């Protein structure tokens, strides 16, 4: 305990003059503040921050919805827009979002730091509304591509900002639970797109309705963010201390606002207003945490999760299960795992969930590889394939899916948080793009057994990487985490 107090004191000593007055007040008042905390008021109410988090996760719902919105209607779209039978054109309609998402994620950090988290959400909603409207009204292939590109830009901007915002406005004791909302909202978006697309084969032009429907939650996000609190760390970083305290009161309640502000000052070294250079992230003093974040996202994609989604319909079809029902099974497995992760995130911790998630995914890939061998009879192969695939998706949703997006904003110092998330999410989208581009070709050249073995190997590598490099952040305030991981000058 004495060591922690000495570290905190040395932290104050490094503060420059611009906050020296605040620091003295903080040091003088911190003891009375802490002593005044009764057991009954030791944790703020989760109910105050809950509505703000729910509004923020609308971006994740839209992300999931737009990832799945063209799956069922793609055949009808290709017929109506005159590119039926052109697999390249169909692939572009599906993947154009990925190009837009890469652009959006690259600039997300600078947008979030420049205009604030709330306005970043609104800027994310605008291209989603405009892009979806263009896609719904277009009569040409080029118009569809333009609409998908604009939607993708919003998709790339939204998730990093959502991770930042949820991390920065959530009380420490429920931050993991709230972080899981992002994954759950994504699952609900995917399932929503699936069910809304069901009538597409019976009703001519229904695919246009699918796009129009997506503008409703985007418009809600645009308007609702006006009433949400801005991120207190972002306000404090801009020198707007009174507004930061007011935001804390809105999120945590008046009795906790001053204490939260005092905690925030502990990790502030006065350099937050300096420009973050890309060199600091790629090979400077913050390289280690950015490397951990980028590697986690890379391993998440190299585990084969998107390949499983791409190949799931084929596997289920060979088992005699229709593609629509197959997507429902995958969606249920994903949602079930996400709900369990939400319940366990603040009990077991981030690191434990990551370790068991990647380990379970490796076991699932082993089942897939065995099923693809010639040693298993026909019915056994089908059971192993279907069971292994559902188990893989379930294990992914338990940790590898939701944890990186929550953990990284926790371990990044406030000064670099937004831009470091942008770098890591860009890595995510690049790997995602190449996995989607090369999967079918690799499947053709290597065969499913070797390919699944490669994915399983990446999952084992992820287990070893997490065990050696990831720190536990459960129950700690962002300021406690930052002080613990702070690179020394």
């Amino acid at each position: 305990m004495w060591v922690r107090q000495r570290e905190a004191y040395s932290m104050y000593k490094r503060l420059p003059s611009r906050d020296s007055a605040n620091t003295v007040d903080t040091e003088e008042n911190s003891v009375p503040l802490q002593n005044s905390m009764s057991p009954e008021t030791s944790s703020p109410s989760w109910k105050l921050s809950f509505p703000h988090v729910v509004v923020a996760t609308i971006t994740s719902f839209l992300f999931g919805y737009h990832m799945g919105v063209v799956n069922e209607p793609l055949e009808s779209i290709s017929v109506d827009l005159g590119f039926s039978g052109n697999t390249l054109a169909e692939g572009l309609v599906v993947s154009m979002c990925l190009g837009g998402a890469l652009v959006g994620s690259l600039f997300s950090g600078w947008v979030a730091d420049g205009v604030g988290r709330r306005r970043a959400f609104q800027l994310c909603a605008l291209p989603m509304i405009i892009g979806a409207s263009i896609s719904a009204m277009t009569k040409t292939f080029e118009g569809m591509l333009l609409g998908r590109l604009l939607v993708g830009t919003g998709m790339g901007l939204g998730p990093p900002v959502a991770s930042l915002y949820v991390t920065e406005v959530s009380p420490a004791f429920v931050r993991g639970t709230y972080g899981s909302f992002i994954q759950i909202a994504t699952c609900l978006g995917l399932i929503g797109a699936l069910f809304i697309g069901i009538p597409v084969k019976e009703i001519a032009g229904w695919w246009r309705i699918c796009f129009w429907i997506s503008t409703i939650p985007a418009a809600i996000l645009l308007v609702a963010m006006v009433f949400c609190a801005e991120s207190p760390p972002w306000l404090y970083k801009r020198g707007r201390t009174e507004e930061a305290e007011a935001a804390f009161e809105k999120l945590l309640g008046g009795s906790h606002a001053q204490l939260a502000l005092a905690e925030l000052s502990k990790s502030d070294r006065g350099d937050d207003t300096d420009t973050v250079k890309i060199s600091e992230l790629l090979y400077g003093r913050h390289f280690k945490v950015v490397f951990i974040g980028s590697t986690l996202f890379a391993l998440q994609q190299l585990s084969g999760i998107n390949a499983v989604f791409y190949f799931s319909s084929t596997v289920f079809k060979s088992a005699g299960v229709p593609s629509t029902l197959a997507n429902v099974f995958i969606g249920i497995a994903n949602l079930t795992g996400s709900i369990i992760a939400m319940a366990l995130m603040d009990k077991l911790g981030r690191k434990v969930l990551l370790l068991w998630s990647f380990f379970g995914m490796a076991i699932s890939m082993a089942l897939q590889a065995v099923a693809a061998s010639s040693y298993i009879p026909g019915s056994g192969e089908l059971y192993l394939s279907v069971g292994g695939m559902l188990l893989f998706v379930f294990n992914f949703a338990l940790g590898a899916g939701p944890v990186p997006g929550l953990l990284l904003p926790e371990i990044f110092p406030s000064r670099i948080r937004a831009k470091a998330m942008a770098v890591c999410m860009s890595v995510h989208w690049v790997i995602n793009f190449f996995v989607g581009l090369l999967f079918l070709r690799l499947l053709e050249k290597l065969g499913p057994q070797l390919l699944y073995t490669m994915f399983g190997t990446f999952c084992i590598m992820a287990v070893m990487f997490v065990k050696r490099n990831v720190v536990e952040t459960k129950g700690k305030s962002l300021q406690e985490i930052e002080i613990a991981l702070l690179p020394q000058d």
Side-chain angles (χ1 to χ4, degrees):
M1 175 60 78
W2 182 83
V3 173
R4 289 185 181 176
Q5 291 173 345
R6 185 177 62 184
E7 288 174 351
Y9 178 75
S10 67
M11 196 71 254
Y12 293 135
K13 296 286 284 181
R14 290 201 296 271
L15 283 168
S17 59
R18 80 173 176 93
D19 279 334
S20 58
N22 273 346
T23 305
V24 173
D25 290 341
T26 299
E27 289 181 274
E28 291 175 353
N29 296 330
S30 60
V31 173
L33 276 170
Q34 290 172 6
N35 288 341
S36 67
M37 295 286 288
S38 65
E40 289 77 21
T41 59
S42 59
S43 294
S45 172
W46 58 269
K47 296 177 182 178
L48 294 174
S49 53
F50 179 76
H52 306 266
V53 171
V54 170
V55 172
T57 54
I58 293 176
T59 57
S60 302
F61 176 86
L62 286 165
F63 176 85
Y65 186 91
H66 282 292
M67 285 293 285
V69 71
V70 297
N71 286 356
E72 287 296 319
L74 185 57
E75 185 178 345
S76 299
I77 293 172
S78 63
V79 171
D80 289 353
L81 299 185
F83 59 91
S84 180
N86 187 337
T87 54
L88 176 61
E90 291 178 354
L92 280 173
V93 169
V94 173
S95 62
M96 185 56 69
C97 273
L98 298 180
L102 176 59
V103 174
S105 64
L106 279 171
F107 291 100
S108 62
W110 282 262
V111 171
D113 272 348
V115 302
R117 310 323 190 212
R118 287 197 310 172
R119 289 183 181 174
F121 278 118
Q122 292 174 318
L123 289 175
C124 151
L126 280 174
M128 286 190 167
I129 294 172
I130 297 170
S133 300
I134 291 173
S135 295
M137 294 186 295
T138 189
K139 296 183 179 180
T140 65
F141 170 66
E142 292 75 17
M144 176 60 69
L145 292 186
L146 175 61
R148 294 290 285 167
L149 181 66
L150 288 172
V151 164
T153 305
M155 287 171 59
L157 177 59
V161 178
S163 295
L164 287 171
Y165 185 80
V166 171
T167 299
E168 291 173 343
V169 305
S170 303
F173 74 101
V174 290
R175 196 169 57 238
T177 302
Y178 281 175
S180 301
F181 286 4
I182 294 175
Q183 178 74 6
I184 291 174
T186 304
C187 295
L188 292 175
L190 284 164
I191 294 172
L194 169 67
F195 280 106
I196 289 170
I198 288 175
V200 74
K201 294 178 181 177
E202 284 76 31
I203 305 175
W206 181 259
W207 60 269
R208 298 184 187 274
I209 303 297
C210 296
F211 285 112
W212 279 123
I213 287 174
S214 70
T215 62
I216 298 172
I220 293 173
L221 174 66
L222 185 68
V223 174
M225 262 299 151
V226 175
F227 304 99
C228 289
E230 181 55 272
S231 161
W234 182 82
L235 290 168
Y236 185 84
K237 194 164 63 171
R238 289 292 179 274
R240 295 155 64 176
T241 308
E242 291 183 1
E243 292 179 59
E245 185 173 356
F248 272 133
E249 288 181 1
K250 198 172 183 179
L251 294 164
L252 306 177
S255 61
H256 295 274
Q258 287 187 347
L259 185 64
L261 197 64
E263 280 286 319
L264 194 58
S265 70
K266 290 182 183 180
S267 59
D268 178 62
R269 296 189 293 176
D271 57 359
D272 283 353
T273 56
D274 297 343
T275 303
V276 178
K277 297 178 181 177
I278 196 71
S279 59
E280 289 184 58
L281 305 180
L282 299 183
Y283 48 84
R285 57 180 179 161
H286 297 297
F287 168 76
K288 182 178 180 181
V289 287
V290 176
F291 171 74
I292 291 172
S294 300
T295 305
L296 271 180
F297 270 126
L299 289 170
Q300 181 196 65
Q301 294 303 306
L302 291 171
S303 69
I305 183 60
N306 282 313
V308 165
F309 283 136
Y310 298 149
F311 198 45
S312 61
S313 295
T314 305
V315 171
F316 278 100
K317 193 177 291 184
S318 65
V321 180
S323 61
T324 302
L325 196 57
N327 290 332
V328 170
F329 286 151
I330 291 291
I332 290 173
N334 202 355
L335 183 60
T336 304
S338 300
I339 292 172
I340 294 174
M342 178 185 68
L344 298 179
M345 193 75 74
D346 285 311
K347 293 180 180 178
L348 296 182
R350 288 57 154 159
K351 187 171 183 176
V352 171
L353 286 182
L354 271 180
L355 285 170
W356 284 104
S357 174
F358 277 119
F359 182 73
M361 290 160 67
I363 298 297
S364 305
M365 276 300 174
L367 292 177
Q368 297 272 60
V370 171
S373 70
S374 57
Y375 303 107
I376 305 296
S379 58
E381 176 188 347
L382 292 179
Y383 286 128
L384 275 181
S385 295
V386 172
M389 190 163 290
L390 292 175
L391 186 63
F392 182 88
V393 173
F394 174 78
N395 278 293
F396 174 82
L398 277 179
V403 171
L406 167 67
L407 179 70
L408 302 193
E410 291 181 322
I411 66 173
F412 292 148
S414 61
R415 177 172 175 261
I416 68 163
R417 188 172 291 142
K419 296 178 178 66
M421 276 299 293
V423 171
C424 294
M425 285 301 296
S426 299
V427 171
H428 167 274
W429 284 112
V430 169
I431 302 292
N432 190 349
F433 174 79
F434 281 107
V435 169
L437 182 68
L438 300 175
F439 171 68
L440 289 177
R441 189 166 184 83
L442 287 173
L443 185 65
E444 181 182 324
K445 296 289 184 182
L446 303 177
Q449 185 176 8
L450 182 55
L451 192 57
Y452 285 143
T453 302
M454 288 172 57
F455 287 142
T457 303
F458 279 118
C459 292
I460 294 297
M461 290 171 60
V463 171
M464 294 187 291
F465 180 82
V466 169
K467 191 171 181 61
R468 291 190 58 181
N469 296 282
V470 172
V471 296
E472 185 53 70
T473 59
K474 177 188 68 171
K476 297 178 182 177
S477 71
L478 296 181
Q479 290 67 50
E480 289 174 329
I481 298 167
E482 183 166 344
I483 289 173
L485 297 176
L486 204 62
Q488 300 301 314
D489 293 326

